[in-house]
Amino acid sequence: MTTELCAYSVCACLAARRAGVDRAELCASPYEGGTTPSAAAVRMARRVEGLQLSVMIRPRGGDFCYSDDEFSQMLEEVRFVRECGADGVVFGLLTPDGRIDEERTKALVEAAGPMQTTFHRAFDMARDPMEALEAVIGTGCTRILTSGGCNTAEEGIETLRALAVRAAGRIELMAGSGVRPSNVRALAAAGVDALHFSARCMRESRMEYRNPRVSMGGCPGVPEYAVPDADERIIRQILTELNR
């Protein structure tokens, strides 16, 4: 069973390597569900030895129906990540009627060349999971990251089982969202090929003076003095449960 950490920093990639995770998915912007990380972050994460690296290709938060300019940016980002020597890229595109954007997805797969390609949880926003499965298979993607069309993989476990049967080994299926030590074995038993988790925690700021009158992002509920991080202890717990 392949394991992948959703990593929002190079430090998280290092924690993944220390704990024995197979692959990291490097992203930025956790409160938007992940966007393309910076060039420096990609280069530095690539230097982490003993860890496969996939990089999120998502030009913004929000939906997965992209303009021509946004799609051109995604192509440029795929080419850049390929030049950096990453093992894979992660993306997801939908049409306005809630189907897989097969034409553009095929173009990204082609641009990726030898890199692995993951169609991310945009899959879970599609109108029909079985139709979406066949469409993604047709684009040539390596794998699909999915929670079975629900908020968490645990909630979507029956759909995950059905997808695994339908896929019949034609594409890798990776279950993600809400993967914890308490449910990792049940999710692995659903027939998926890989598990994706963030082991997220909040790292408290080192700031002693904190200005309560200013919100830099202007988004209520988003902490100004804590940073999302990966808890290495939880990563190890997940791996321990998985390997029992």
Side-chain angles (χ1 to χ4, degrees):
M1 177 69 61
T2 302
T3 54
E4 178 178 278
L5 182 75
C6 181
Y8 289 100
S9 67
V10 176
C11 288
C13 291
L14 290 167
R17 192 272 312 275
R18 288 193 299 268
V21 174
D22 298 307
R23 183 173 59 236
E25 178 199 74
L26 183 65
C27 311
S29 307
Y31 294 111
E32 293 185 293
T35 58
T36 305
S38 73
V42 174
R43 290 191 180 106
M44 291 177 70
R46 179 64 288 176
R47 296 177 196 142
V48 177
E49 296 181 358
L51 181 71
Q52 295 180 49
L53 177 66
S54 285
V55 179
M56 174 65 76
I57 305 297
R58 189 180 176 207
R60 56 163 173 78
D63 64 39
F64 303 102
C65 185
Y66 296 108
S67 69
D68 290 344
D69 286 341
E70 288 168 336
F71 178 63
S72 294
Q73 181 178 333
M74 295 173 79
L75 283 169
E76 287 294 326
E77 288 167 342
V78 168
R79 294 178 187 120
F80 170 75
V81 169
R82 182 176 173 178
E83 290 170 1
C84 289
D87 299 289
V89 284
V90 183
F91 46 72
L93 306 91
L94 299 178
T95 59
D97 63 350
R99 291 182 166 88
I100 303 301
D101 188 335
E102 296 180 62
E103 181 180 352
R104 284 177 163 181
T105 301
K106 286 178 181 177
L108 291 175
V109 170
E110 182 178 350
M115 292 191 294
Q116 299 176 23
T117 50
T118 301
F119 196 98
H120 61 46
R121 288 186 63 220
F123 181 89
D124 295 317
M125 304 300 282
R127 63 194 304 155
D128 181 278
M130 297 305 162
E131 177 188 87
L133 172 67
E134 297 299 335
V136 176
I137 290 172
T139 66
C141 279
T142 309
R143 70 181 62 86
I144 296 170
L145 170 61
T146 174
S147 58
C150 296
N151 278 331
T152 68
E154 188 170 21
E155 293 173 88
I157 195 166
E158 294 304 322
T159 300
L160 289 171
R161 288 194 182 101
L163 287 167
V165 171
R166 180 71 174 265
R170 292 177 294 158
I171 193 169
E172 294 178 26
L173 290 178
M174 180 164 58
S177 184
V179 176
R180 304 184 301 275
S182 61
N183 62 22
V184 65
R185 293 175 68 190
L187 291 170
V192 298
D193 304 288
L195 292 168
H196 169 98
F197 46 86
S198 64
R200 192 179 300 182
C201 65
M202 298 302 291
R203 174 166 47 85
E204 193 66 17
S205 169
R206 294 171 54 241
M207 287 294 298
E208 296 176 3
Y209 172 74
R210 302 185 179 192
N211 188 341
R213 300 181 300 277
V214 177
S215 172
M216 297 302 294
C219 298
V222 175
E224 297 285 339
Y225 294 100
V227 179
D229 203 352
D231 189 326
E232 189 172 335
R233 178 182 57 87
I234 297 175
I235 297 172
R236 292 181 182 277
Q237 288 175 353
I238 289 173
L239 296 181
T240 296
E241 287 295 324
L242 184 60
N243 293 322
R244 278 190 177 183

